[in-house]
């Protein structure tokens, strides 16, 4: 069912918006995410293991739970805020999987979304969408936008924000920005 939806609807639209990344769709990984006040509030900044991501809000009533988008993985503005998307039931967004994004905390209610990660094997074989931190990362242009910080990935997160309680209990292995790609004046408190 999802494969038919992908090939009939997602691929033609994606091909128009992202002609290189969506020149073909060979496979997908699809799943449902749910956010509820007092439980799973949001999702830390990340990139997807997809070439093009489809995200549709399936329902329920909620406030908050926006989706913040930042720069493309490895670009000089990777951690710079670009825009914030407001979910509405029945409305969808398509974006490149290599764009940094995160689900902001839900304020009240419940939200469920269907996510489809679309894969283009020919595009991936060219290595242009490689998440190789050493060869595909440019020096950052400036300090990160606060909304674009990731407590999972960013070495300088605690310079700008306090770790969430749940993150304090995790074994963190932050890597971003990679050594040598830091913005001017970069400093990590020890």
């Amino acid at each position: 069912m999802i494969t038919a939806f992908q090939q009939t609807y997602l691929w033609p639209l994606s091909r128009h918006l992202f002609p290189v990344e969506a020149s073909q769709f060979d496979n997908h990984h699809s799943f449902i995410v749910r956010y509820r006040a007092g439980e799973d509030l949001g999702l830390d900044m990340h990139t997807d293991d997809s070439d093009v991501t489809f995200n549709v809000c399936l329902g329920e009533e909620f406030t908050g739970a926006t989706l913040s988008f930042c720069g493309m993985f490895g670009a000089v503005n990777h951690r710079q805020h670009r825009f914030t998307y407001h979910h509405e039931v029945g409305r969808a967004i398509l974006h490149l999987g290599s764009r940094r994004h995160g689900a902001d905390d839900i304020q009240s209610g419940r939200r469920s979304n269907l996510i489809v990660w679309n894969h283009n094997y020919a595009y991936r074989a060219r290595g242009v969408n490689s998440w190789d931190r050493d060869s595909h990362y440019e020096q950052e242009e400036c300090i990160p936008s606060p909304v674009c910080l990731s407590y999972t990935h960013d070495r300088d997160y605690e310079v700008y924000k306090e770790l969430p309680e749940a993150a304090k209990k995790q074994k963190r292995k932050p890597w971003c920005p990679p050594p040598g790609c830091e913005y001017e004046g970069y400093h990590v408190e020890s």
Side-chain angles (χ1 to χ4, degrees), residues 103-123:
D104 302 316
D105 286 353
I106 194 166
Q107 306 298 314
S108 67
R110 292 170 36 151
R111 175 171 66 84
S112 299
N113 287 58
L114 169 66
I115 311 294
V116 180
W117 286 353
N118 299 284
H119 301 137
N120 176 343
Y121 294 149
Y123 175 70

Side-chain angles (χ1 to χ4, degrees), residues 155-168:
R155 295 187 295 140
D156 57 349
Y157 184 91
E158 292 179 88
V159 172
Y160 302 102
K161 291 182 170 184
E162 184 176 336
L163 281 176
E165 286 303 315
K168 291 177 183 177

Side-chain angles (χ1 to χ4, degrees), residues 27-156:
N27 203 348
H28 63 82
H29 174 69
S30 303
F31 54 97
I32 303 278
V33 294
R34 291 183 177 91
Y35 301 100
R36 173 184 256 171
E39 293 178 10
D40 288 333
L41 300 177
L43 184 60
D44 191 27
M45 280 289 157
H46 63 283
T47 54
D48 295 336
D49 183 17
S50 75
D51 300 307
V52 178
T53 297
F54 170 78
N55 180 337
V56 62
C57 183
L58 299 176
E60 305 193 45
E61 293 186 21
F62 58 90
T63 58
T66 55
L67 193 58
S68 290
F69 286 92
C70 304
M72 300 301 288
F73 178 85
V76 297
N77 61 0
H78 176 230
R79 299 192 298 160
Q80 299 302 307
H81 184 252
R82 292 291 166 246
F83 67 97
T84 299
Y85 176 78
H86 297 268
H87 289 285
E88 292 180 21
V89 176
R91 194 170 79 170
I93 186 167
L94 278 169
H95 65 86
L96 294 176
S98 55
R99 179 167 295 282
R100 187 178 253 214
H101 61 286
D104 302 316
D105 286 353
I106 194 166
Q107 306 298 314
S108 67
R110 292 170 36 151
R111 175 171 66 84
S112 299
N113 287 58
L114 169 66
I115 311 294
V116 180
W117 286 353
N118 299 284
H119 301 137
N120 176 343
Y121 294 149
Y123 175 70
R124 288 173 174 227
R126 296 189 344 221
V128 293
N129 199 22
S130 172
W131 287 275
D132 178 350
R133 298 174 190 157
D134 298 324
S135 63
H136 293 283
Y137 207 99
E138 300 177 59
Q139 182 174 1
E140 293 187 328
E141 63 186 1
C142 60
I143 65 170
S145 301
V147 71
C148 294
L149 286 166
S150 167
Y151 56 81
T152 304
H153 304 293
D154 294 346
R155 295 187 295 140
D156 57 349

Side-chain angles (χ1 to χ4, degrees), residues 1 9 26 38 94 118 132 183:
M1 183 163 112
Y9 300 104
D26 303 298
L94 278 169
N118 299 284
D132 178 350
Y183 51 87

